[in-house]
Amino acid sequence: MKKKFKIEVDCANCAAKMEAAAQKVEGVNSVSVSFMTQKLAVDIDDARFDETLAEVVRVCKKVDSDFEIEL
């Protein structure tokens, strides 16, 4: 399932690190974190979407504790 979310990320470097970390989460087919548009685009397996999205948010917050996502 592909979805886009509005996010708050402080810098382009943080966005790149978040994207790299989120790519490693099991169940994530693809992910894009954009500092310029303040958007998170994910393609996650339907069966575990909520759990996988929660893990993506967790790893992003590890990179930048101020990371916010609007669900």
Side-chain angles (χ1 to χ4, degrees), residues 6 12 14-15 19 22 25 30 33 35 38 41-43 53 56 64 66:
K6 177 111 177 88
C14 293
E19 189 173 303
V25 174
S30 67
V33 180
F35 168 70
Q38 296 287 295
V42 292
D43 182 6
L53 181 62
V56 168
D64 179 359
D66 293 333

PDB file of all heavy atoms in Angstrom, residues 6 12 14-15 19 22 25 30 33 35 38 41-43 53 56 64 66:
ATOM      1  N   LYS A   6       2.335  14.139   5.598  1.00  0.00           N
ATOM      2  CA  LYS A   6       3.001  15.407   5.885  1.00  0.00           C
ATOM      3  C   LYS A   6       3.868  15.175   7.113  1.00  0.00           C
ATOM      4  O   LYS A   6       3.433  14.544   8.078  1.00  0.00           O
ATOM      5  CB  LYS A   6       1.951  16.486   6.163  1.00  0.00           C
ATOM      6  CG  LYS A   6       2.520  17.814   6.546  1.00  0.00           C
ATOM      7  CD  LYS A   6       2.287  18.830   5.462  1.00  0.00           C
ATOM      8  CE  LYS A   6       2.782  20.189   5.877  1.00  0.00           C
ATOM      9  NZ  LYS A   6       4.143  20.445   5.573  1.00  0.00           N
ATOM     10  N   ALA A  12      18.005  18.580   5.378  1.00  0.00           N
ATOM     11  CA  ALA A  12      18.098  17.625   4.277  1.00  0.00           C
ATOM     12  C   ALA A  12      18.959  16.422   4.658  1.00  0.00           C
ATOM     13  O   ALA A  12      18.660  15.289   4.263  1.00  0.00           O
ATOM     14  CB  ALA A  12      18.661  18.318   3.045  1.00  0.00           C
ATOM     15  N   CYS A  14      19.283  15.105   7.644  1.00  0.00           N
ATOM     16  CA  CYS A  14      18.463  14.245   8.503  1.00  0.00           C
ATOM     17  C   CYS A  14      17.478  13.434   7.662  1.00  0.00           C
ATOM     18  O   CYS A  14      17.265  12.251   7.919  1.00  0.00           O
ATOM     19  CB  CYS A  14      17.695  15.073   9.529  1.00  0.00           C
ATOM     20  SG  CYS A  14      18.739  15.866  10.758  1.00  0.00           S
ATOM     21  N   ALA A  15      16.873  14.077   6.668  1.00  0.00           N
ATOM     22  CA  ALA A  15      15.917  13.389   5.799  1.00  0.00           C
ATOM     23  C   ALA A  15      16.594  12.223   5.079  1.00  0.00           C
ATOM     24  O   ALA A  15      16.027  11.130   4.975  1.00  0.00           O
ATOM     25  CB  ALA A  15      15.316  14.367   4.797  1.00  0.00           C
ATOM     26  N   GLU A  19      15.625   8.294   5.541  1.00  0.00           N
ATOM     27  CA  GLU A  19      15.263   7.465   4.388  1.00  0.00           C
ATOM     28  C   GLU A  19      16.095   6.188   4.367  1.00  0.00           C
ATOM     29  O   GLU A  19      15.566   5.095   4.163  1.00  0.00           O
ATOM     30  CB  GLU A  19      15.461   8.266   3.108  1.00  0.00           C
ATOM     31  CG  GLU A  19      14.927   7.586   1.876  1.00  0.00           C
ATOM     32  CD  GLU A  19      14.983   8.480   0.663  1.00  0.00           C
ATOM     33  OE1 GLU A  19      14.406   9.583   0.687  1.00  0.00           O
ATOM     34  OE2 GLU A  19      15.626   8.061  -0.315  1.00  0.00           O
ATOM     35  N   ALA A  22      14.883   3.905   7.214  1.00  0.00           N
ATOM     36  CA  ALA A  22      13.538   3.369   6.961  1.00  0.00           C
ATOM     37  C   ALA A  22      13.569   2.285   5.885  1.00  0.00           C
ATOM     38  O   ALA A  22      12.766   1.347   5.927  1.00  0.00           O
ATOM     39  CB  ALA A  22      12.591   4.492   6.579  1.00  0.00           C
ATOM     40  N   VAL A  25      13.776  -1.238   7.266  1.00  0.00           N
ATOM     41  CA  VAL A  25      12.678  -1.795   8.058  1.00  0.00           C
ATOM     42  C   VAL A  25      11.993  -2.901   7.257  1.00  0.00           C
ATOM     43  O   VAL A  25      11.644  -2.712   6.091  1.00  0.00           O
ATOM     44  CB  VAL A  25      11.659  -0.697   8.451  1.00  0.00           C
ATOM     45  CG1 VAL A  25      10.439  -1.304   9.139  1.00  0.00           C
ATOM     46  CG2 VAL A  25      12.320   0.339   9.342  1.00  0.00           C
ATOM     47  N   SER A  30       9.408   0.540  -0.452  1.00  0.00           N
ATOM     48  CA  SER A  30      10.131   1.753  -0.838  1.00  0.00           C
ATOM     49  C   SER A  30       9.725   2.879   0.101  1.00  0.00           C
ATOM     50  O   SER A  30       8.649   2.857   0.700  1.00  0.00           O
ATOM     51  CB  SER A  30       9.839   2.144  -2.290  1.00  0.00           C
ATOM     52  OG  SER A  30       8.496   2.543  -2.436  1.00  0.00           O
ATOM     53  N   VAL A  33      11.851  10.294   1.904  1.00  0.00           N
ATOM     54  CA  VAL A  33      11.699  11.352   2.895  1.00  0.00           C
ATOM     55  C   VAL A  33      12.233  12.630   2.252  1.00  0.00           C
ATOM     56  O   VAL A  33      13.403  12.715   1.912  1.00  0.00           O
ATOM     57  CB  VAL A  33      12.484  11.040   4.190  1.00  0.00           C
ATOM     58  CG1 VAL A  33      12.306  12.156   5.209  1.00  0.00           C
ATOM     59  CG2 VAL A  33      12.048   9.707   4.787  1.00  0.00           C
ATOM     60  N   PHE A  35      12.922  16.632   2.511  1.00  0.00           N
ATOM     61  CA  PHE A  35      13.043  17.840   3.317  1.00  0.00           C
ATOM     62  C   PHE A  35      12.358  19.014   2.622  1.00  0.00           C
ATOM     63  O   PHE A  35      11.677  19.809   3.245  1.00  0.00           O
ATOM     64  CB  PHE A  35      14.525  18.156   3.567  1.00  0.00           C
ATOM     65  CG  PHE A  35      14.762  19.519   4.146  1.00  0.00           C
ATOM     66  CD1 PHE A  35      14.389  19.809   5.443  1.00  0.00           C
ATOM     67  CD2 PHE A  35      15.345  20.522   3.397  1.00  0.00           C
ATOM     68  CE1 PHE A  35      14.587  21.066   5.985  1.00  0.00           C
ATOM     69  CE2 PHE A  35      15.561  21.778   3.918  1.00  0.00           C
ATOM     70  CZ  PHE A  35      15.180  22.053   5.223  1.00  0.00           C
ATOM     71  N   GLN A  38       8.606  18.377   2.725  1.00  0.00           N
ATOM     72  CA  GLN A  38       8.155  17.936   4.052  1.00  0.00           C
ATOM     73  C   GLN A  38       7.120  16.808   3.920  1.00  0.00           C
ATOM     74  O   GLN A  38       6.054  16.826   4.519  1.00  0.00           O
ATOM     75  CB  GLN A  38       7.576  19.104   4.856  1.00  0.00           C
ATOM     76  CG  GLN A  38       8.590  20.192   5.175  1.00  0.00           C
ATOM     77  CD  GLN A  38       9.594  19.761   6.245  1.00  0.00           C
ATOM     78  OE1 GLN A  38       9.241  19.533   7.389  1.00  0.00           O
ATOM     79  NE2 GLN A  38      10.852  19.651   5.862  1.00  0.00           N
ATOM     80  N   ALA A  41       6.791   9.476   1.766  1.00  0.00           N
ATOM     81  CA  ALA A  41       6.063   8.577   0.876  1.00  0.00           C
ATOM     82  C   ALA A  41       6.563   7.162   1.153  1.00  0.00           C
ATOM     83  O   ALA A  41       7.763   6.919   1.133  1.00  0.00           O
ATOM     84  CB  ALA A  41       6.294   8.948  -0.572  1.00  0.00           C
ATOM     85  N   VAL A  42       5.620   6.260   1.445  1.00  0.00           N
ATOM     86  CA  VAL A  42       5.999   4.881   1.756  1.00  0.00           C
ATOM     87  C   VAL A  42       5.164   3.898   0.948  1.00  0.00           C
ATOM     88  O   VAL A  42       4.014   4.163   0.620  1.00  0.00           O
ATOM     89  CB  VAL A  42       5.829   4.552   3.265  1.00  0.00           C
ATOM     90  CG1 VAL A  42       6.815   5.296   4.109  1.00  0.00           C
ATOM     91  CG2 VAL A  42       4.430   4.784   3.739  1.00  0.00           C
ATOM     92  N   ASP A  43       5.772   2.781   0.650  1.00  0.00           N
ATOM     93  CA  ASP A  43       5.085   1.636   0.061  1.00  0.00           C
ATOM     94  C   ASP A  43       5.375   0.480   1.008  1.00  0.00           C
ATOM     95  O   ASP A  43       6.513   0.027   1.119  1.00  0.00           O
ATOM     96  CB  ASP A  43       5.600   1.351  -1.345  1.00  0.00           C
ATOM     97  CG  ASP A  43       4.871   0.187  -2.001  1.00  0.00           C
ATOM     98  OD1 ASP A  43       3.891  -0.325  -1.420  1.00  0.00           O
ATOM     99  OD2 ASP A  43       5.296  -0.221  -3.092  1.00  0.00           O
ATOM    100  N   LEU A  53       4.583   0.948   9.682  1.00  0.00           N
ATOM    101  CA  LEU A  53       4.640   2.406   9.716  1.00  0.00           C
ATOM    102  C   LEU A  53       5.123   2.893  11.081  1.00  0.00           C
ATOM    103  O   LEU A  53       5.938   3.817  11.162  1.00  0.00           O
ATOM    104  CB  LEU A  53       3.290   3.022   9.377  1.00  0.00           C
ATOM    105  CG  LEU A  53       3.257   4.551   9.373  1.00  0.00           C
ATOM    106  CD1 LEU A  53       4.204   5.118   8.316  1.00  0.00           C
ATOM    107  CD2 LEU A  53       1.837   5.054   9.142  1.00  0.00           C
ATOM    108  N   VAL A  56       8.804   2.561  11.113  1.00  0.00           N
ATOM    109  CA  VAL A  56       9.414   3.608  10.291  1.00  0.00           C
ATOM    110  C   VAL A  56       9.497   4.905  11.092  1.00  0.00           C
ATOM    111  O   VAL A  56      10.534   5.570  11.123  1.00  0.00           O
ATOM    112  CB  VAL A  56       8.640   3.820   8.973  1.00  0.00           C
ATOM    113  CG1 VAL A  56       9.084   5.089   8.259  1.00  0.00           C
ATOM    114  CG2 VAL A  56       8.805   2.613   8.059  1.00  0.00           C
ATOM    115  N   ASP A  64      16.252  11.959  14.272  1.00  0.00           N
ATOM    116  CA  ASP A  64      15.907  13.332  14.678  1.00  0.00           C
ATOM    117  C   ASP A  64      14.740  13.251  15.645  1.00  0.00           C
ATOM    118  O   ASP A  64      13.610  12.968  15.237  1.00  0.00           O
ATOM    119  CB  ASP A  64      15.538  14.162  13.444  1.00  0.00           C
ATOM    120  CG  ASP A  64      15.149  15.587  13.780  1.00  0.00           C
ATOM    121  OD1 ASP A  64      15.139  15.970  14.969  1.00  0.00           O
ATOM    122  OD2 ASP A  64      14.823  16.335  12.845  1.00  0.00           O
ATOM    123  N   ASP A  66      12.982  15.379  16.925  1.00  0.00           N
ATOM    124  CA  ASP A  66      11.909  16.341  16.646  1.00  0.00           C
ATOM    125  C   ASP A  66      11.021  15.919  15.467  1.00  0.00           C
ATOM    126  O   ASP A  66      10.074  16.612  15.124  1.00  0.00           O
ATOM    127  CB  ASP A  66      12.488  17.723  16.338  1.00  0.00           C
ATOM    128  CG  ASP A  66      13.155  18.333  17.561  1.00  0.00           C
ATOM    129  OD1 ASP A  66      12.765  17.985  18.688  1.00  0.00           O
ATOM    130  OD2 ASP A  66      14.089  19.147  17.377  1.00  0.00           O
TER     131      ASP A  66
END
